[in-house]
Amino acid sequence: MKVTDSILALSLIFAASCSPAKKADVDNTTQECLTEYVNPLIGSGGHGHVFVGASVPFGMVQLGPTSVNQQWDWCSGYHQDEASVIGFSHTHLSGTGIGDLFDVTVMPVTGEVNYARGVIEEPESGLWSPADRTQEVAEVGYYSVPLTRYGIKAEVTATARVGLHRYTFPEAADAALVIDLQNGGCWDASTETFMEAEGNNRVVGYRYSKGWAKNQRIFFVAEFAKPFDSFELKGKNDMYGRASFGTTAGEEILLKVAISPVSIEGAKLAMQTELPGWDFAATREAAVAAWEKELARVKVEMKNEEQKGIFYTAMYHAMIAPMLFSDVNGDYRGADDKVYNSPTPRYTCFSLWDTYRAKQPLMTIIHPEKAGEFVSTMVDICDKQGDLPVWHLWGNETDCMVGDPGIPVVADAIVKGIEGFDREEAFAAIKKTAAVEERGKELRHKYGYIPCDIFSEAIAFDMEYAIADAAAANAAKALGKQEEYEHFTKMSHSYRTYFDKSTGFIRGVYADGKLRTPFNPYFSAHRANDYCEGNAWQYTWLIPHDIEHYAGMFGSKEECIARLDSLFLAPSTVDGDASPDISGMIGQFAHGNEPSHHILYLYTMLGEPHKAAERIREVMTTQYRNDFDGLSGNEDMGQMSAWYVMSSLGFYQVEPAGARYWFGSPTADRAELTVKGGKFVIETINNSDTNIYIKNIKLNGEPYALPYIEHDDIVKGGTLTIEMSDTPAKWW
């Protein structure tokens, strides 16, 4: 997309068309190109932290610009506030709150340069260049921008494991493409690098680094369409390789770079298999076609074109990660840093504390094959490192965030009958993970809860463990394991210790059983109090698995609902050294961070679906916009977007591994989902900005009198008809 001063005015103008195979069906009627609705720049400002560049769905390569800046809002390497480019890196994160990767960076230059990242205050301190974002193009599978320092136009596209570059040079006797192995992003630093030329058109090498991922290894092979005149190692510890050329005005030089987590040979195989030629246009078209196929898993009709753009951008963002982490031949690097082989693809970048809530459940509906591959990978990680992943990054466990978020994902797949992994092995991984005596679980096993005077973020850890236990119980029940079901169900009630009826809040408890004092429900200290990126207001509602009992703890369901109402009416102030993740505030509800994502649907669970509808529509219209700053918080590897996708369809999975989805307020007029059993169609009648309440529901033509729909009813195919009204109603 060409960026102008008015992104909203141009947000639905997209240049790349569908591939020819998608343009017309058998009767020659024009088919809609869903990629044309995608705006990759949504979330590239504010705190969205989204990846901007070229990729294919779930691909290993995310090829895009990397900035000089390494502050928090540049975790993806790109932000609207500053337009520098140190080069085009082949790996990026999308929407995370910590930066890493940005491996194997390529920068086109002319003349001699300083072989360093440089600083913004000194334009020639490194090899970086300002980018002319008035001429920027960011589309599905393609990115382009002029580099004004050198007068070079940069263009990139990608396959799953190969990045293809095209640089248009001015006339220059001293033009070059520089491969930078020194600079990663934010908290990443090279520990060992190597590269050498093979002939006059190929460079091979590797980059080992340490950052958020403590032991990251990436291998590459770079091939040049034009033989270089010379190849020289430059800069600190020879971490830059300069391939020099003479160029004529307007000459295009192509470069393709394949990567592997295993070996140079694996990278060479990827190049040979995925991109043996040099057809940039065909590669770009293939990337678009790959995205068309994935986006078409959900075909929606919406009267509001801007909402439709947000919807398909959300679909796009939800399928950037997890990324492929195995070579063409099945080789992959295990969590123990050893090399293995598997016919099942392996993946990396599991941001599970975020994505277990909506992103992974969405995959079980529209992409069960991928969901099975993800779980197979997670069980394999458990086999190699001793427990299921928490936040796995390029073969490394970071243990980032709280709880055991891998358990709900694996349990969900077991309960829903997802194929592609051994269910007994998967449940064994759940049991093994839950039993590990670390990260507060040893205290939980001893006391029955985690005392806040012994362990930091005690409430957050314990309550997430309770959610995982509830998921494990559901998996045990599905497998007929009564003893394990009873054990995990009991463990899932540990949160009850923290409930303080006198205040109506979840509150820290000391080892001696006394409540934490003093107590301020508005207080939060970033990663340094009883909660994690939140306060008592948000964590009081982190009970998705036991809401019926929890309501009774308030005295009655009515008192519980009144307390839930107060969440949205309280002042939106947070005392203390609060995390910037506590964002998207409506009262003390914080949609910008994941612990709040299920809360709106608690109203439906508590029997007041009209309140759910009102708040869901409020969030969808105020906190998702077709704009740079179009997300209320970090994208978090697809979770923020998956919430929007699910809510647009009209339902959300609240309970961990519950295999049912609670109704909210659909915004899609019609949706056709490709599911295991064929097509599942959602028809919304009389939907509008005022008709936000569900009046009645029919499933396959028959009246439907439940506040939720079962997973099995969706995936076997059929038609769900939802009639909307401007009057609050209860249809069950």
Side-chain angles (χ1 to χ4, degrees), residues 457-663:
E457 298 182 314
I459 287 175
F461 269 95
D462 190 281
M463 294 182 78
E464 290 287 357
Y465 286 139
I467 289 172
D469 286 331
N474 286 338
K477 185 177 182 180
L479 295 173
K481 299 179 183 295
Q482 184 63 25
E483 182 178 344
E484 287 91 337
Y485 168 74
E486 293 175 0
H487 166 74
F488 282 118
T489 298
K490 180 180 179 180
M491 291 296 295
S492 74
H493 298 157
S494 63
Y495 79 89
R496 297 176 183 176
T497 302
Y498 299 115
F499 182 71
D500 174 19
K501 187 174 181 179
S502 67
T503 62
F505 285 107
I506 291 291
R507 182 174 173 183
V509 177
Y510 298 131
D512 63 5
K514 295 179 180 178
L515 291 167
R516 175 180 285 284
T517 53
F519 173 67
N520 175 4
Y522 292 89
F523 177 80
S524 181
H526 182 57
R527 305 305 308 265
N529 67 331
D530 294 345
Y531 312 95
C532 176
E533 299 180 358
N535 61 24
W537 278 102
Q538 292 104 47
Y539 274 83
T540 291
W541 301 104
L542 194 61
I543 321 289
H545 57 291
D546 197 28
I547 192 64
E548 285 294 327
H549 178 90
Y550 190 52
M553 293 176 71
F554 284 89
S556 68
K557 184 175 290 188
E558 290 72 25
E559 290 178 88
C560 178
I561 292 171
R563 167 54 83 186
L564 182 56
D565 290 341
S566 71
L567 175 71
F568 302 94
L569 302 174
S572 295
T573 57
V574 181
D575 299 332
D577 180 23
S579 167
D581 297 277
I582 307 174
S583 59
M585 304 287 281
I586 302 173
Q588 282 292 313
F589 170 79
H591 189 73
N593 212 23
E594 279 67 24
S596 289
H597 276 194
H598 68 288
I599 291 176
L600 307 184
Y601 289 87
L602 294 180
Y603 277 122
T604 301
M605 299 179 79
L606 291 168
E608 296 200 351
H610 66 283
K611 291 184 178 179
E614 292 164 0
R615 292 301 183 184
I616 290 166
R617 286 292 182 109
E618 180 180 4
V619 168
M620 295 185 76
T621 55
T622 63
Q623 301 201 30
Y624 292 86
R625 302 183 310 282
N626 204 330
D627 201 352
F628 298 133
D629 190 8
L631 298 172
S632 59
N634 300 160
E635 167 60 19
D636 285 317
M637 304 300 276
Q639 168 59 26
M640 193 68 69
S641 289
W643 186 96
Y644 188 89
V645 170
M646 296 290 282
S647 294
S648 296
L649 299 177
F651 44 70
Y652 190 86
Q653 180 172 301
V654 178
E655 304 139 303
R660 57 185 179 178
Y661 307 85
W662 294 82
F663 288 111

Side-chain angles (χ1 to χ4, degrees), residues 88-390:
F88 297 86
S89 307
H90 290 80
T91 60
H92 288 82
L93 295 170
S94 186
T96 57
I98 303 177
D100 204 332
L101 304 185
F102 312 132
D103 297 287
V104 190
T105 299
V106 174
M107 184 65 178
V109 303
T110 57
E112 274 304 317
V113 296
N114 285 317
Y115 295 94
R117 190 183 203 103
V119 294
I120 293 294
E121 296 75 18
E122 300 177 36
E124 296 187 1
S125 56
L127 72 172
W128 70 274
S129 170
D132 181 3
R133 288 191 177 164
T134 66
Q135 300 297 316
E136 180 181 53
V137 180
E139 297 169 356
V140 167
Y142 175 80
Y143 180 84
S144 175
V145 74
L147 303 174
T148 57
R149 175 178 175 182
Y150 304 111
I152 296 170
K153 178 183 178 182
E155 300 173 89
V156 296
T157 187
T159 68
R161 300 174 179 86
V162 187
L164 181 58
H165 308 238
R166 182 166 65 189
Y167 299 107
T168 304
F169 279 82
E171 182 178 1
D174 50 5
L177 293 177
V178 177
I179 300 174
D180 172 6
L181 300 184
Q182 178 179 14
N183 293 294
C186 299
W187 299 270
D188 169 271
S190 297
T191 56
E192 181 181 341
T193 65
F194 163 80
M195 64 180 135
E196 67 177 9
E198 293 184 348
N200 62 357
N201 74 332
R202 176 185 286 178
V203 175
V204 300
Y206 59 77
R207 181 179 189 263
Y208 300 167
S209 61
K210 181 178 181 180
W212 190 14
K214 300 303 181 185
N215 177 29
Q216 188 201 346
R217 300 189 179 198
I218 185 167
F219 301 83
F220 73 93
V221 55
E223 291 189 0
F224 300 75
K226 177 177 180 175
F228 41 75
D229 298 330
S230 64
F231 181 78
E232 303 169 275
L233 297 180
K234 300 280 190 176
K236 180 181 179 182
N237 298 329
D238 291 339
M239 287 192 284
Y240 298 80
R242 179 183 176 117
S244 297
F245 314 85
T247 56
T248 58
E251 182 176 358
E252 296 178 349
I253 293 184
L254 275 73
L255 168 72
K256 52 187 177 181
V257 179
I259 63 173
S260 164
V262 174
S263 65
I264 290 172
E265 290 71 25
K268 287 181 177 179
L269 181 60
M271 184 86 77
Q272 176 186 342
T273 306
E274 294 185 0
L275 196 59
W278 293 97
D279 193 330
F280 191 95
T283 305
R284 177 182 176 184
E285 185 177 273
V288 172
W291 280 110
E292 278 290 333
K293 179 181 178 182
E294 297 304 325
L295 296 177
R297 291 178 183 275
V298 182
K299 295 181 179 180
V300 298
E301 296 176 10
M302 292 177 168
K303 299 182 188 74
N304 187 312
E305 288 289 285
E306 185 167 310
Q307 285 184 353
K308 192 168 182 177
I310 297 170
F311 180 90
Y312 279 111
T313 302
M315 284 278 289
Y316 168 78
H317 281 148
M319 291 190 282
I320 289 175
M323 297 89 149
L324 195 62
F325 196 59
S326 52
D327 287 342
V328 172
N329 64 356
D331 286 351
Y332 70 98
R333 187 169 297 277
D336 56 2
D337 200 32
K338 298 177 182 178
V339 175
Y340 298 87
N341 185 275
S342 171
T344 302
R346 298 304 186 202
Y347 295 86
T348 189
C349 295
F350 287 99
S351 180
L352 295 166
W353 183 80
D354 306 294
T355 61
Y356 85 76
R357 305 167 200 267
K359 159 71 177 290
Q360 299 297 344
L362 175 63
M363 293 296 106
T364 65
I365 297 173
I366 66 171
H367 223 318
E369 302 86 358
K370 277 284 186 288
E373 292 172 356
F374 297 159
V375 170
S376 178
T377 298
M378 292 169 65
V379 172
D380 180 75
I381 289 171
C382 179
D383 180 63
K384 305 297 188 295
Q385 71 177 25
D387 55 3
L388 287 167
V390 176

Side-chain angles (χ1 to χ4, degrees), residues 21-32:
K22 289 289 183 179
K23 280 194 171 181
D25 59 21
V26 292
D27 59 2
N28 293 320
T29 58
T30 301
Q31 263 194 352
E32 187 175 36

